Amino acid sequence: MAPAGLLGREIAFFEALRGAGVPVALSEVLDATRAMGAVDLLDRESLRTAFAATAVKRPNHRAVFDRLFDLWWPAVTGEPTRAQDLAEREPDEQAPSDEPADAGQLRDALRDLLLSGDEEALRRFTREVVGSLGRADAAPGRQNWFSYRVLRALSPETLMASLLERLLEGQQRGGLAERVARQTLTERIRQFQEMVEAEIRRRLAEDRGVEQVSRTAVQPLTEQVDFLRASRADMLELRRQVFPLARRLATRLTARRRLGRSGRLDFRRTVRASLGTGGVPLVTHHRPHKPHKPELTVLCDVSGSVAGFAHFTLMLAYALREQFSKVRAFAFIDTTDEVTRFFTPGGDVADALATMSAEADLVWFDGHSDYGHSLEEFATRYPDAVGPRTSLLILGDARNNYRATGIGALRQLVQRSRHAYWLNPEPVAYWSSGDSAVAQYAEVIEMVEVRNAVQLEDFVQRLLPQ
Amino acid sequence: MQSPYFASVDDVEQRLSAVGYLPDHAIATTVFLADRLGKPLLIEGPAGVGKTELAKAVASAVGAELIRLQCYEGLDEARALYEWNYKKQLLRIQAASDDAAWDDIHDDVFAEEFLLSRPLLTAIRRTEPTVLLIDETDKADVEVEGLLLEVLSDFQVTIPELGTITAVRRPLVFLTSNATRELSEALKRRCLYLHLDYPDAAREKAIVLSRVPEVAERLADQLVQTVRALRAMELKKSPSLAESIDWAHTLLALGLDTLDEQAVKDTLGVVLKHASDQARATTQLKLN
């Protein structure tokens, strides 16, 4: 039985955090409790900081934490009363009229708020509009709250044009100033959307209990998002993480290599070091072990369904290219083309992917995935791409539209290569269902499930030599 | 228990501002908590947002001496904690007359006199106020973290020949990390955690103005907005606070008072350090 009151609330909150996948150790709960005693409890942001500092020790857990904190320690409860709101208002702000404002007026108000960038006022506005626009009576005495009702009625994105006009005020359009202003406004609109969603969650939590809403409010961490289900925003976030991920992987690999057995005795350094101990070689020095670097050939399906996954993996392969002696990339939809030329050293990989989709010759017949033809093309046109030192990676979901599989060509490729793996972004449960040719391919090549960035990271570690 | 350095969160804010570091509410609260709870503070975040600067600012705000341990690959006990002065010990043994008892010398050479104190031990033994900064913890090897655990949780160091040395006055400890690798759970559990990110527009402007006071307010405004637009792009290395300040210095030195297309184009190299990033920014901002 959990204790009641503040402490009980705190413990239940950390329990919910654990449920959302944030590991909170007992010692951290103790620290948080001590911290609670040290800060001003009436200041909500102080409490948030105190909890974050003691219990959330990874930046990618912070979003989950903030979301749950807003639910468990809401800034206001119930319907914001007029009197309370009036008291909070600055004297020069216009008092709200008593009759409910129509959407047009609200849009005007929102535009002014977005223009001024006053966060506190925007938050009060959010509370009001969610109260008036977001509610739908579900059953007598029960209410449902929907963010899309609010966002549709106000459609903040469509305010952009008039906002830009007001902000730029006669400055030249299309230039740097517009780009910068647009960025600022996009950020504020996104902020407003998030406020609306947070407010909706708060209302829901009051209606249904905070535990239930906590469970549904938490989104998976970016690195655990399925490639095949990732939204555009997820994909963008993932792409931002490619370079940090590559750096982390590279650091870990170099550390692993250093720890491994060292090479031949370095005679000169050993003798030099022995001078400090009167000519007795107490410590021997060794030459660093020269790591064996494999060649990497990536052959990826870039058709619509799996393009996101292929792009992410290609970006990672290129970010890690120092770990390989040579990286070659091939892409296919129903025929294969070499795309290595688009990835110039120091070039921008995101641009490279765009040019690749535009310029590479990937469609032969109808633009639907054809693994059989693509594999045969690959084997005949690029016989030098796979040799005894090559690690061959094939990326794709093996959904072949019931066409010929080209299994013979694949078998030969696998035999010629040093290692060969097939990375499949589909969950294992869906393999071999419908038009998937996994069963046939898995007989000749090792098929690995790589659904998210975490699994990819694990795989890359396995691929690279010790 | 020693008396804390700071009286309240506001006190932290005021004293840090007084020495030229403008903290936001979260930073001030976390520093206050680190002081109150007597726990080390682990600061993580991208390069150039003022992680090291924060530790320095706290040191000068409380009038403490800053002891810095810079981590690097291959850092070991002998460089971080303590080392026996081997050569001096050897001399002592050779200088001893033949009739001196071996037992005496044996105890003698493992005395205070022959101990070379390194940053961690120095910080623990000081009686004056001390701020210990362990910089770029992620660069050190994993074994060093194990070494830090005893120091950070109990503020003590065990030297086999001398026994355990416990801190007379607990130093304020700051660890910084660029997150090139994940630090161990054990280390993180012993620390408070602060993720320093790029500051919001208002704070960034205030920082630029306080660091480069000669810069006009309107220019600072433009600069901050432009840097934020750059950060929103998909770049290899986003410009950080240090780059904003450099940019302000550059614009000042060039005598530019407004940040238009030409000015950005000419000085882009100050904020973006990759050729591909520059090319991308140039096309997206339509500079050419």
PDB file of all heavy atoms in Angstrom, chain A residues 275-294:
ATOM      1  N   LEU A 275      64.942   2.958 -19.261  1.00  0.00           N
ATOM      2  CA  LEU A 275      65.933   3.889 -18.702  1.00  0.00           C
ATOM      3  C   LEU A 275      65.444   4.444 -17.377  1.00  0.00           C
ATOM      4  O   LEU A 275      66.218   4.727 -16.478  1.00  0.00           O
ATOM      5  CB  LEU A 275      66.199   5.025 -19.687  1.00  0.00           C
ATOM      6  CG  LEU A 275      66.874   4.599 -20.991  1.00  0.00           C
ATOM      7  CD1 LEU A 275      67.140   5.804 -21.864  1.00  0.00           C
ATOM      8  CD2 LEU A 275      68.166   3.860 -20.702  1.00  0.00           C
ATOM      9  N   GLY A 276      64.132   4.620 -17.250  1.00  0.00           N
ATOM     10  CA  GLY A 276      63.570   5.165 -16.022  1.00  0.00           C
ATOM     11  C   GLY A 276      63.691   4.210 -14.853  1.00  0.00           C
ATOM     12  O   GLY A 276      63.587   4.606 -13.698  1.00  0.00           O
ATOM     13  N   THR A 277      63.929   2.926 -15.143  1.00  0.00           N
ATOM     14  CA  THR A 277      64.033   1.942 -14.067  1.00  0.00           C
ATOM     15  C   THR A 277      65.412   1.311 -14.064  1.00  0.00           C
ATOM     16  O   THR A 277      65.566   0.114 -13.812  1.00  0.00           O
ATOM     17  CB  THR A 277      62.960   0.851 -14.223  1.00  0.00           C
ATOM     18  OG1 THR A 277      62.940   0.422 -15.589  1.00  0.00           O
ATOM     19  CG2 THR A 277      61.585   1.360 -13.855  1.00  0.00           C
ATOM     20  N   GLY A 278      66.410   2.145 -14.391  1.00  0.00           N
ATOM     21  CA  GLY A 278      67.791   1.683 -14.307  1.00  0.00           C
ATOM     22  C   GLY A 278      68.143   0.607 -15.302  1.00  0.00           C
ATOM     23  O   GLY A 278      68.937  -0.275 -15.006  1.00  0.00           O
ATOM     24  N   GLY A 279      67.534   0.662 -16.483  1.00  0.00           N
ATOM     25  CA  GLY A 279      67.880  -0.268 -17.537  1.00  0.00           C
ATOM     26  C   GLY A 279      67.181  -1.613 -17.453  1.00  0.00           C
ATOM     27  O   GLY A 279      67.386  -2.477 -18.290  1.00  0.00           O
ATOM     28  N   VAL A 280      66.349  -1.778 -16.433  1.00  0.00           N
ATOM     29  CA  VAL A 280      65.594  -3.029 -16.350  1.00  0.00           C
ATOM     30  C   VAL A 280      64.243  -2.833 -17.036  1.00  0.00           C
ATOM     31  O   VAL A 280      63.476  -1.977 -16.629  1.00  0.00           O
ATOM     32  CB  VAL A 280      65.366  -3.445 -14.881  1.00  0.00           C
ATOM     33  CG1 VAL A 280      64.666  -4.788 -14.814  1.00  0.00           C
ATOM     34  CG2 VAL A 280      66.683  -3.448 -14.133  1.00  0.00           C
ATOM     35  N   PRO A 281      63.975  -3.583 -18.089  1.00  0.00           N
ATOM     36  CA  PRO A 281      62.691  -3.387 -18.803  1.00  0.00           C
ATOM     37  C   PRO A 281      61.516  -3.948 -18.023  1.00  0.00           C
ATOM     38  O   PRO A 281      61.099  -5.066 -18.235  1.00  0.00           O
ATOM     39  CB  PRO A 281      62.897  -4.123 -20.140  1.00  0.00           C
ATOM     40  CG  PRO A 281      63.949  -5.139 -19.852  1.00  0.00           C
ATOM     41  CD  PRO A 281      64.802  -4.622 -18.729  1.00  0.00           C
ATOM     42  N   LEU A 282      61.006  -3.151 -17.093  1.00  0.00           N
ATOM     43  CA  LEU A 282      59.890  -3.613 -16.259  1.00  0.00           C
ATOM     44  C   LEU A 282      58.599  -3.686 -17.060  1.00  0.00           C
ATOM     45  O   LEU A 282      57.789  -4.568 -16.879  1.00  0.00           O
ATOM     46  CB  LEU A 282      59.698  -2.660 -15.077  1.00  0.00           C
ATOM     47  CG  LEU A 282      60.731  -2.754 -13.963  1.00  0.00           C
ATOM     48  CD1 LEU A 282      60.391  -1.777 -12.851  1.00  0.00           C
ATOM     49  CD2 LEU A 282      60.773  -4.170 -13.413  1.00  0.00           C
ATOM     50  N   VAL A 283      58.439  -2.697 -17.926  1.00  0.00           N
ATOM     51  CA  VAL A 283      57.203  -2.647 -18.716  1.00  0.00           C
ATOM     52  C   VAL A 283      57.559  -2.802 -20.185  1.00  0.00           C
ATOM     53  O   VAL A 283      58.439  -2.104 -20.678  1.00  0.00           O
ATOM     54  CB  VAL A 283      56.483  -1.293 -18.512  1.00  0.00           C
ATOM     55  CG1 VAL A 283      55.156  -1.297 -19.250  1.00  0.00           C
ATOM     56  CG2 VAL A 283      56.285  -1.020 -17.043  1.00  0.00           C
ATOM     57  N   THR A 284      56.904  -3.702 -20.837  1.00  0.00           N
ATOM     58  CA  THR A 284      57.147  -3.828 -22.275  1.00  0.00           C
ATOM     59  C   THR A 284      56.103  -3.028 -23.045  1.00  0.00           C
ATOM     60  O   THR A 284      54.962  -2.900 -22.613  1.00  0.00           O
ATOM     61  CB  THR A 284      57.060  -5.299 -22.723  1.00  0.00           C
ATOM     62  OG1 THR A 284      55.786  -5.793 -22.343  1.00  0.00           O
ATOM     63  CG2 THR A 284      58.137  -6.131 -22.096  1.00  0.00           C
ATOM     64  N   HIS A 285      56.525  -2.476 -24.156  1.00  0.00           N
ATOM     65  CA  HIS A 285      55.592  -1.744 -25.015  1.00  0.00           C
ATOM     66  C   HIS A 285      55.382  -2.510 -26.309  1.00  0.00           C
ATOM     67  O   HIS A 285      56.299  -3.144 -26.799  1.00  0.00           O
ATOM     68  CB  HIS A 285      56.139  -0.343 -25.318  1.00  0.00           C
ATOM     69  CG  HIS A 285      56.091   0.543 -24.129  1.00  0.00           C
ATOM     70  ND1 HIS A 285      55.039   1.386 -23.880  1.00  0.00           N
ATOM     71  CD2 HIS A 285      56.966   0.710 -23.107  1.00  0.00           C
ATOM     72  CE1 HIS A 285      55.258   2.028 -22.751  1.00  0.00           C
ATOM     73  NE2 HIS A 285      56.430   1.647 -22.260  1.00  0.00           N
ATOM     74  N   HIS A 286      54.157  -2.410 -26.824  1.00  0.00           N
ATOM     75  CA  HIS A 286      53.844  -3.152 -28.046  1.00  0.00           C
ATOM     76  C   HIS A 286      53.322  -2.214 -29.117  1.00  0.00           C
ATOM     77  O   HIS A 286      52.747  -1.169 -28.811  1.00  0.00           O
ATOM     78  CB  HIS A 286      52.788  -4.221 -27.753  1.00  0.00           C
ATOM     79  CG  HIS A 286      53.277  -5.261 -26.797  1.00  0.00           C
ATOM     80  ND1 HIS A 286      53.764  -6.469 -27.203  1.00  0.00           N
ATOM     81  CD2 HIS A 286      53.379  -5.255 -25.443  1.00  0.00           C
ATOM     82  CE1 HIS A 286      54.139  -7.177 -26.153  1.00  0.00           C
ATOM     83  NE2 HIS A 286      53.916  -6.450 -25.069  1.00  0.00           N
ATOM     84  N   ARG A 287      53.528  -2.600 -30.333  1.00  0.00           N
ATOM     85  CA  ARG A 287      52.927  -1.847 -31.427  1.00  0.00           C
ATOM     86  C   ARG A 287      51.432  -2.090 -31.427  1.00  0.00           C
ATOM     87  O   ARG A 287      50.985  -3.177 -31.093  1.00  0.00           O
ATOM     88  CB  ARG A 287      53.483  -2.330 -32.765  1.00  0.00           C
ATOM     89  CG  ARG A 287      54.879  -1.870 -33.018  1.00  0.00           C
ATOM     90  CD  ARG A 287      55.358  -2.400 -34.357  1.00  0.00           C
ATOM     91  NE  ARG A 287      56.813  -2.460 -34.369  1.00  0.00           N
ATOM     92  CZ  ARG A 287      57.593  -1.391 -34.471  1.00  0.00           C
ATOM     93  NH1 ARG A 287      57.048  -0.187 -34.587  1.00  0.00           N
ATOM     94  NH2 ARG A 287      58.904  -1.504 -34.469  1.00  0.00           N
ATOM     95  N   PRO A 288      50.671  -1.062 -31.798  1.00  0.00           N
ATOM     96  CA  PRO A 288      49.221  -1.285 -31.850  1.00  0.00           C
ATOM     97  C   PRO A 288      48.883  -2.347 -32.888  1.00  0.00           C
ATOM     98  O   PRO A 288      49.537  -2.465 -33.927  1.00  0.00           O
ATOM     99  CB  PRO A 288      48.655   0.076 -32.250  1.00  0.00           C
ATOM    100  CG  PRO A 288      49.805   0.848 -32.794  1.00  0.00           C
ATOM    101  CD  PRO A 288      51.050   0.294 -32.150  1.00  0.00           C
ATOM    102  N   HIS A 289      47.875  -3.092 -32.567  1.00  0.00           N
ATOM    103  CA  HIS A 289      47.429  -4.138 -33.459  1.00  0.00           C
ATOM    104  C   HIS A 289      46.744  -3.512 -34.659  1.00  0.00           C
ATOM    105  O   HIS A 289      45.907  -2.636 -34.502  1.00  0.00           O
ATOM    106  CB  HIS A 289      46.455  -5.025 -32.699  1.00  0.00           C
ATOM    107  CG  HIS A 289      46.117  -6.268 -33.421  1.00  0.00           C
ATOM    108  ND1 HIS A 289      47.035  -7.256 -33.662  1.00  0.00           N
ATOM    109  CD2 HIS A 289      44.963  -6.688 -33.962  1.00  0.00           C
ATOM    110  CE1 HIS A 289      46.453  -8.230 -34.313  1.00  0.00           C
ATOM    111  NE2 HIS A 289      45.200  -7.916 -34.520  1.00  0.00           N
ATOM    112  N   LYS A 290      47.117  -3.945 -35.832  1.00  0.00           N
ATOM    113  CA  LYS A 290      46.487  -3.347 -37.009  1.00  0.00           C
ATOM    114  C   LYS A 290      45.157  -4.042 -37.275  1.00  0.00           C
ATOM    115  O   LYS A 290      45.131  -5.240 -37.540  1.00  0.00           O
ATOM    116  CB  LYS A 290      47.413  -3.511 -38.218  1.00  0.00           C
ATOM    117  CG  LYS A 290      47.300  -2.317 -39.158  1.00  0.00           C
ATOM    118  CD  LYS A 290      48.257  -2.466 -40.326  1.00  0.00           C
ATOM    119  CE  LYS A 290      49.206  -1.285 -40.389  1.00  0.00           C
ATOM    120  NZ  LYS A 290      50.323  -1.534 -41.294  1.00  0.00           N
ATOM    121  N   PRO A 291      44.060  -3.300 -37.143  1.00  0.00           N
ATOM    122  CA  PRO A 291      42.768  -3.968 -37.313  1.00  0.00           C
ATOM    123  C   PRO A 291      42.541  -4.333 -38.767  1.00  0.00           C
ATOM    124  O   PRO A 291      42.961  -3.627 -39.679  1.00  0.00           O
ATOM    125  CB  PRO A 291      41.761  -2.915 -36.859  1.00  0.00           C
ATOM    126  CG  PRO A 291      42.453  -1.618 -37.082  1.00  0.00           C
ATOM    127  CD  PRO A 291      43.912  -1.873 -36.906  1.00  0.00           C
ATOM    128  N   HIS A 292      41.890  -5.437 -38.931  1.00  0.00           N
ATOM    129  CA  HIS A 292      41.532  -5.847 -40.272  1.00  0.00           C
ATOM    130  C   HIS A 292      40.247  -5.143 -40.661  1.00  0.00           C
ATOM    131  O   HIS A 292      39.258  -5.196 -39.950  1.00  0.00           O
ATOM    132  CB  HIS A 292      41.353  -7.364 -40.282  1.00  0.00           C
ATOM    133  CG  HIS A 292      40.507  -7.854 -41.387  1.00  0.00           C
ATOM    134  ND1 HIS A 292      40.995  -8.034 -42.656  1.00  0.00           N
ATOM    135  CD2 HIS A 292      39.189  -8.163 -41.437  1.00  0.00           C
ATOM    136  CE1 HIS A 292      40.005  -8.449 -43.436  1.00  0.00           C
ATOM    137  NE2 HIS A 292      38.901  -8.527 -42.720  1.00  0.00           N
ATOM    138  N   LYS A 293      40.263  -4.421 -41.751  1.00  0.00           N
ATOM    139  CA  LYS A 293      39.070  -3.684 -42.146  1.00  0.00           C
ATOM    140  C   LYS A 293      38.391  -4.371 -43.321  1.00  0.00           C
ATOM    141  O   LYS A 293      39.005  -4.573 -44.358  1.00  0.00           O
ATOM    142  CB  LYS A 293      39.443  -2.258 -42.549  1.00  0.00           C
ATOM    143  CG  LYS A 293      39.865  -1.402 -41.379  1.00  0.00           C
ATOM    144  CD  LYS A 293      40.098   0.026 -41.830  1.00  0.00           C
ATOM    145  CE  LYS A 293      40.391   0.915 -40.649  1.00  0.00           C
ATOM    146  NZ  LYS A 293      40.595   2.302 -41.039  1.00  0.00           N
ATOM    147  N   PRO A 294      37.145  -4.725 -43.171  1.00  0.00           N
ATOM    148  CA  PRO A 294      36.454  -5.410 -44.252  1.00  0.00           C
ATOM    149  C   PRO A 294      35.993  -4.436 -45.338  1.00  0.00           C
ATOM    150  O   PRO A 294      35.894  -3.237 -45.108  1.00  0.00           O
ATOM    151  CB  PRO A 294      35.254  -6.041 -43.561  1.00  0.00           C
ATOM    152  CG  PRO A 294      34.993  -5.163 -42.389  1.00  0.00           C
ATOM    153  CD  PRO A 294      36.301  -4.547 -41.999  1.00  0.00           C
TER     154      PRO A 294
END
